[in-house]
Amino acid sequence: MTPPATPPTPSPAFSSGPMSLAERKRLLVATELTEAALQLLALKGFDSVTVDEIAASAGVSKRTFFRYFASKEDVVVQFLSGMGGDIRAALAARPAGEAPSVSLRHAVAVPLAACTDRHPEHAARALRVVQLILRTPALLARFLERQAAWRVALAEELAGRQGLDPAADPSPRLAAGTALVAFHTTLELWSDSDAERDPLDLLDRAFTVVAPALDAHDRGEATGRAAGKG
């Protein structure tokens, strides 16, 4: 039986604040496992690599591996595990009354900013992870599961900002889903270009397309208020 995994270790790319000695040790081991996995997966392909090989390459036991990750899929997907919380926090920090398209664009840009030329070391590592996820059906399925959870969280945040009931009004869910489609499309285009294209520029282009739909509810509310005053 597979031993239960402990709570995921924060991703180095998206963690913030000081860490304790124990947290730093966990982060070091998790990073070594992730690097070992990425090297093996890039060399042999996802389906050909076993947990035993990953653990041996990182110099740890299989039991230690399962203290950090529930499966080999998690080794890759958890590299991006902090993104959902970071995106929601960024959305919550945007000014009240700001157009949804602007708030959501700034929110989903937070993790992408670490993949630009200003952070070449992380960008190269992130590219390997993103390409593995997008090109491996099992990993893509896990990543889409995470995005579904992010959509719920972002819809709740949007609903609170707009004074809407997310259980009754579809607007927050549609807006959150649309923003994440733009985010996912940006990852696909960035991955296909082997990081030659700027992810933030790609995101801007995507939001230029979806912004009218994202802001339609706010425009409708403003029109209704103006009509009521007339």
Side-chain angles (χ1 to χ4, degrees):
M1 180 181 295
T2 299
T6 52
T9 300
S11 165
F14 306 110
S15 298
S16 60
M19 291 186 293
S20 67
L21 179 61
E23 287 173 331
R24 288 197 297 271
K25 182 178 179 181
R26 282 186 55 79
L27 181 58
L28 178 61
V29 175
T31 299
E32 289 176 350
L33 282 167
T34 300
E35 285 297 332
L38 292 179
Q39 291 176 15
L40 285 170
L41 293 170
L43 179 66
K44 301 178 63 174
F46 179 80
D47 293 330
S48 299
V49 175
T50 66
V51 168
D52 296 88
E53 288 177 298
I54 295 171
S57 180
V60 301
S61 68
K62 185 176 180 180
R63 184 178 183 84
T64 297
F65 172 92
F66 283 117
R67 291 197 188 105
Y68 290 84
F69 301 104
S71 65
K72 67 177 182 178
E73 289 91 343
D74 279 347
V75 180
V76 181
V77 176
Q78 281 190 15
F79 180 80
L80 308 175
S81 63
M83 287 203 302
D86 288 345
I87 291 172
R88 178 169 185 169
L91 178 60
R94 298 304 300 172
E98 186 175 61
S101 64
V102 176
S103 299
L104 285 165
R105 188 269 173 205
H106 280 281
V108 300
V110 169
L112 293 174
C115 300
T116 63
D117 291 340
R118 293 187 294 275
H119 307 275
E121 197 170 302
H122 172 69
R125 188 174 183 226
L127 178 65
R128 284 187 291 159
V129 175
V130 170
Q131 289 181 333
L132 274 171
I133 289 173
L134 296 181
R135 297 172 184 177
T136 307
L139 294 176
L140 180 58
R142 294 291 302 277
F143 188 41
L144 293 176
E145 284 177 8
R146 287 178 180 267
Q147 288 189 46
W150 300 353
R151 181 174 66 88
V152 173
L154 289 178
E156 291 174 350
E157 189 64 43
L158 280 171
R161 291 169 62 85
Q162 297 173 316
L164 301 174
D165 179 1
D169 193 320
S171 299
R173 294 189 190 189
L174 288 170
T178 300
L180 288 173
V181 168
F183 171 77
H184 190 89
T185 301
T186 296
L187 285 180
E188 290 177 327
L189 293 171
W190 179 68
S191 170
D192 290 345
S193 76
D194 289 328
E196 288 296 319
R197 303 178 71 179
D198 187 310
L200 296 181
D201 178 58
L202 291 170
L203 186 68
D204 283 341
R205 295 186 182 194
F207 267 82
T208 297
V209 175
V210 302
L214 291 173
D215 296 334
H217 183 275
D218 274 16
R219 287 196 304 272
E221 289 288 309
T223 301
R225 287 193 297 270
K229 293 178 181 179

